[in-house]
Amino acid sequence: MTSERAQVIVVDAANVVGSRPDGWWRDRSGAARRLLTKLAVLQQRLQDTTDIVVILEGAARAAVSGPDAPDTGTLRVVLAPGSGDDTIAAVTAESAAQPHSPEVTVVTADRGLRQRTDPTGATAVGPSWLLDQLES
């Protein structure tokens, strides 16, 4: 899916969820569902200017299936077939290469991942940046 949005926010869901010690490790898919629900609300607020792309990996991928799956609206959810970092790097490069050159922001605190996405021209921000957006 290509977008004509002015900004693309690529979310390292595992890193964002893991940034708060709230027991997420006991229910990874539940933690991912809660994040997706909040991001879908944020996507509604930013609808005309921003695409949010959330990468889910491992057990968190189950968040989008079953009766408890949240309504993600127009939020783009990508299920990493293997490494979440590889998928995030690929989605970031794909987004940055769009002809209309959107501003791409990667939400992660992972230094190695930041080094992989920096050459695309993407800006990296930590999870607290996104969490602040979700709480405002």
Side-chain angles (χ1 to χ4, degrees), residues 42-107:
L42 179 61
Q43 178 69 78
Q44 291 277 328
R45 284 197 335 240
L46 304 174
Q47 192 66 45
D48 294 336
T49 59
T50 304
D51 272 337
I52 301 174
V53 184
V54 185
I55 287 59
L56 297 178
E57 62 182 298
R61 293 182 301 175
V64 294
S65 60
D68 295 334
D71 178 1
T72 56
T74 59
L75 190 65
R76 181 175 167 209
V77 179
V78 177
L79 304 180
S83 162
D85 287 2
D86 289 349
T87 303
I88 292 162
V91 167
T92 300
E94 171 191 307
S95 298
Q98 292 179 26
H100 61 282
S101 303
E103 177 185 332
V104 180
T105 302
V106 180
V107 182

Side-chain angles (χ1 to χ4, degrees), residues 9-20:
I9 300 172
V10 181
V11 179
D12 179 350
N15 197 266
V16 172
V17 167
S19 70
R20 290 205 168 151

Side-chain angles (χ1 to χ4, degrees), residues 101-117:
S101 303
E103 177 185 332
V104 180
T105 302
V106 180
V107 182
T108 188
D110 182 319
R111 280 188 220 154
L113 182 56
R114 285 177 176 220
Q115 289 174 344
R116 291 176 66 183
T117 58

